[in-house]
């Protein structure tokens, strides 16, 4: 560990002159991230499909699982949004509902510790406003070269949002049987104590589970002394160039410092302001309405079999 801090001190000293440029008020940079999320299609009913069918589905989902984002950043603010590009005809069709999970453009103010996520849900525009979550990063002496930048490794344990689709898994049948047994044993007790909200949550999430915590690995470079990174990540002594979080990888493929045409970083203002907790409650309510409309109240069977 002492060797790590010596290396970091030498690197920071070497960069002390060039760091002045980053402190200028008009400094701006752009980092392009290739993101990829793996998916176990067998876990979602793919065992009954042929390899050709699986391949076709994965090809249709490619636009959702593999994306390019641009982080435009200054010393104190940033925007993180998907790079605009034309989609192939039919790509992603049938997965439009997932846009409610993936989110739109994201704004961060590091100085004020504020994060704002633009989100459209069933034709309504929302602004999800919350404080930036500060992870308890554990710095490591391990180094790695990403492009022309020397990067250092850091790890942290992160709490997972209940609607984080990148970590969603289909609950196994063994878990279902265990849960049904527990419900049967406690049915008398819970019948009078359960609330409508709890029922809604359990009905909707009956077949889905999300881990409560995941381990996140980050690679950051002090050569760009900006405490920022892709998506909600940041809080390290340098720009994060790679994130590995559960089944998702975000890798920086290009960096442009002080571009000739600078983009104005603006705080979004259009949409109804809600917290993440309030937005999740809105999603639950709407999805329960859809479940009742298309599946009735027939439990997990609800109009379609496993």
């Amino acid at each position: 560990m002492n060797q790590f801090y010596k290396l970091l001190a030498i690197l920071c000293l070497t960069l002390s002159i060039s760091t002045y440029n980053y402190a200028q008020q008009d400094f701006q940079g752009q980092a392009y991230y290739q993101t990829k999320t793996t998916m176990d299609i067998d876990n979602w009913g793919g065992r009954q499909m042929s390899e050709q069918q699986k391949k076709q589905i994965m090809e249709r989902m490619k636009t959702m699982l593999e994306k390019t984002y641009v982080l435009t950043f200054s010393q104190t603010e940033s925007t993180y949004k998907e790079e605009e590009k034309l989609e192939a005809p039919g790509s992603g069709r049938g997965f439009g509902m997932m846009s409610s999970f993936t989110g739109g453009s994201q704004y961060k103010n590091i100085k004020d510790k504020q994060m704002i996520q633009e989100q459209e849900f069933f034709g309504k525009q929302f602004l999800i406003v919350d404080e930036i979550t500060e992870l308890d990063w554990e710095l490591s002496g391990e180094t790695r070269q990403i492009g022309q930048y020397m990067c250092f490794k850091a790890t942290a344990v992160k709490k997972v949002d209940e609607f984080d689709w990148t970590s969603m898994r289909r609950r196994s049948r063994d878990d279902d049987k265990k849960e049904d047994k527990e419900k049967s044993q406690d049915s008398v007790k819970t019948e009078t104590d359960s609330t409508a909200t709890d029922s809604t949550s359990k009905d909707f999430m009956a077949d889905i589970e999300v881990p409560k915590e995941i381990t996140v690995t980050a690679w950051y470079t002090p050569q760009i002394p900006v405490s920022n990174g892709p998506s909600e990540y940041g809080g390290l002594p340098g720009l994060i160039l790679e994130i590995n979080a559960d089944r998702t990888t975000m890798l920086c493929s290009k960096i442009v410092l002080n571009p000739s045409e600078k983009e104005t970083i603006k705080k979004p203002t259009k949409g109804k302001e809600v917290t993440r907790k309030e937005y999740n409650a809105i999603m639950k309510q709407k999805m329960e309405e859809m479940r009742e409309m298309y599946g009735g109240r027939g439990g997990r069977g609800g109009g379609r079999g496993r």
Side-chain angles (χ1 to χ4, degrees):
M1 183 59 72
N2 289 335
Q3 185 178 2
F4 159 64
Y5 284 112
K6 287 180 181 179
L7 180 60
L8 185 58
I10 293 173
L11 183 59
C12 290
L13 182 62
T14 304
L15 297 167
S16 59
I17 297 177
S18 61
T19 300
Y20 173 78
N21 294 325
Y22 296 97
Q24 301 308 299
Q25 196 169 19
D26 61 347
F27 164 76
Q28 189 179 106
Q30 291 180 329
Y32 292 74
Y33 293 87
Q34 303 289 336
T35 71
K36 184 174 182 178
T37 300
T38 59
M39 180 178 179
D40 182 6
I41 196 169
D42 286 345
N43 183 251
W44 295 94
R47 292 186 181 89
Q48 289 75 36
M49 301 178 186
S50 66
E51 290 302 317
Q52 182 64 24
Q53 288 174 320
K54 292 179 185 179
K55 185 177 179 181
Q56 290 175 349
I57 289 177
M58 293 305 295
E59 189 63 31
R60 291 176 61 192
M61 295 186 68
K62 190 174 182 179
T63 55
M64 185 182 75
L65 299 175
E66 299 179 20
K67 294 178 178 288
T68 301
Y69 288 87
V70 182
L71 177 72
T72 303
F73 60 90
S74 66
Q75 276 290 331
T76 58
E77 294 178 289
S78 68
T79 57
Y80 183 73
K81 56 186 177 182
E82 186 177 354
E83 186 179 38
E84 294 183 2
K85 59 182 179 180
L86 293 176
E87 293 186 1
S91 63
R93 188 175 296 169
F95 302 101
M97 184 66 181
M98 293 306 296
S99 63
S100 302
F101 294 90
T102 54
S105 300
Q106 183 188 81
Y107 166 86
K108 281 188 289 189
N109 189 310
I110 299 173
K111 184 178 179 181
D112 297 338
K113 297 182 179 181
Q114 185 186 57
M115 182 168 66
I116 302 176
Q117 179 87 47
E118 293 183 288
Q119 182 67 65
E120 183 180 345
F121 185 52
F122 278 88
K124 294 183 179 180
Q125 193 68 31
F126 293 91
L127 292 176
I128 305 174
V129 183
D130 272 319
E131 288 188 1
I132 293 176
T133 301
E134 296 183 356
L135 297 179
D136 186 15
W137 292 107
E138 181 178 339
L139 305 184
S140 166
E142 190 174 345
T143 61
R144 174 184 162 200
Q145 194 82 10
I146 298 181
Q148 67 185 59
Y149 298 97
M150 174 66 72
C151 296
F152 293 86
K153 182 180 179 181
T155 56
V157 175
K158 171 193 169 186
K159 291 184 178 179
V160 182
D161 181 82
E162 61 181 321
F163 281 109
D164 184 349
W165 72 270
T166 63
S167 291
M168 285 183 178
R169 296 161 172 79
R170 192 178 184 211
R171 194 185 300 273
S172 69
R173 293 192 176 186
D174 289 339
D175 291 337
D176 289 339
K177 291 176 181 178
K178 182 179 177 181
E179 183 179 334
D180 289 340
K181 183 178 180 181
E182 292 175 351
K183 285 183 177 180
S184 178
Q185 292 174 344
D186 298 336
S187 60
V188 176
K189 178 181 177 182
T190 58
E191 185 175 357
T192 56
D193 295 338
S194 60
T195 63
T197 302
D198 290 337
S199 177
T200 298
S201 174
K202 290 176 182 177
D203 285 340
F204 170 66
M205 301 300 287
D207 287 331
I208 296 175
E209 62 179 359
V210 178
K212 293 183 179 180
E213 294 180 336
I214 59 172
T215 298
V216 178
T217 301
W219 293 91
Y220 66 96
T221 176
Q223 289 177 257
I224 305 179
V226 177
S227 186
N228 211 330
S231 191
E232 74 266 36
Y233 298 103
L236 286 167
L239 181 67
I240 297 174
L241 299 190
E242 182 174 338
I243 283 286
N244 293 289
D246 198 20
R247 299 175 304 179
T248 298
T249 297
M250 307 174 185
L251 177 62
C252 183
S253 58
K254 183 175 73 171
I255 295 176
V256 180
L257 299 178
N258 283 321
S260 55
E261 295 185 10
K262 295 184 179 180
E263 181 179 329
T264 303
I265 300 176
K266 293 182 179 180
K267 179 186 293 190
T269 57
K270 294 182 180 180
K272 179 182 178 181
E273 287 194 15
V274 293
T275 64
R276 172 61 64 179
K277 185 177 180 180
E278 290 170 339
Y279 180 73
N280 286 355
I282 293 171
M283 287 186 68
K284 285 181 183 179
Q285 181 179 359
K286 186 63 178 180
M287 290 178 180
E288 173 62 11
E289 291 174 1
M290 293 177 64
R291 189 190 70 85
E292 292 179 0
M293 183 181 300
Y294 297 108
R297 286 190 171 272
R300 291 194 191 104
R304 68 176 187 178
R306 282 184 177 275

